[in-house]
Amino acid sequence: MTTVRTSELDVLGALLAFDFIGFAQKSATLDPTDPQYGQAVGAAFGLAARRRFPQGATAPEIGGYVAEFLGSLEAGAEDFDAAALERLVADGLSGGTAGGGEHLDPERTMQARLVLTLRWVRELGLGPDGQRELLAEALPAV
């Protein structure tokens, strides 16, 4: 359903724009029980991962990145499992073919993808135009 996918990308767009009120409001409209929940954010996450690591990354490199990421969080690191994040990043880099990229909880997977995508967009220096391009590219991918 295009509406769910567009809504997810609206959530991500609000987060990237630091519109936290819009992010919270838009997030509340998503249904985590929908079978397609997370697909659009997953597509944007994979695109951002491949842009951030254009040459790919080995398992030790991914592990190091995840450890640095978790260490950089001012709060909330305890909400993420390092091994699950490593699998998620590997899955994003492989275009979804690495397997095991999902947390058991789809909402936790969505949260991890959102936070990492935000970080990668910032690391890549994507301004509003680059962010819109990423979101537009993600929509047809789902």
Side-chain angles (χ1 to χ4, degrees):
M1 175 190 310
T2 303
T3 305
V4 171
R5 294 175 186 153
T6 302
S7 297
E8 282 185 20
L9 294 178
D10 289 343
V11 168
L12 179 56
L15 179 63
L16 295 177
F18 291 103
D19 174 8
F20 298 117
I21 293 172
F23 172 75
Q25 291 170 339
K26 293 171 191 297
S27 294
T29 67
L30 298 179
D31 178 7
T33 63
D34 186 304
Q36 294 182 341
Y37 178 78
Q39 287 183 353
V41 167
F45 170 81
L47 290 167
R50 291 184 295 280
R51 288 182 185 181
R52 171 57 182 81
F53 301 98
Q55 305 302 316
T58 64
E61 290 169 334
I62 292 171
Y65 183 84
V66 166
E68 187 275 322
F69 162 73
L70 291 173
S72 73
L73 295 178
E74 293 177 19
E78 65 279 356
D79 293 341
F80 299 104
D81 174 70
L85 286 179
E86 290 173 24
R87 289 190 305 273
L88 199 63
V89 172
D91 192 58
L93 289 173
S94 71
T97 60
E102 300 293 321
H103 287 287
L104 296 177
D105 177 3
E107 290 182 85
R108 183 76 58 161
T109 298
M110 174 78 90
Q111 178 186 21
R113 285 178 173 157
L114 287 168
V115 171
L116 282 167
T117 302
L118 174 63
R119 181 176 174 109
W120 291 334
V121 163
R122 297 295 170 236
E123 288 177 0
L124 291 165
L126 296 181
D129 289 340
Q131 293 171 22
R132 279 190 293 277
E133 178 186 307
L134 177 76
L135 297 174
E137 193 176 336
L139 190 55
V142 287

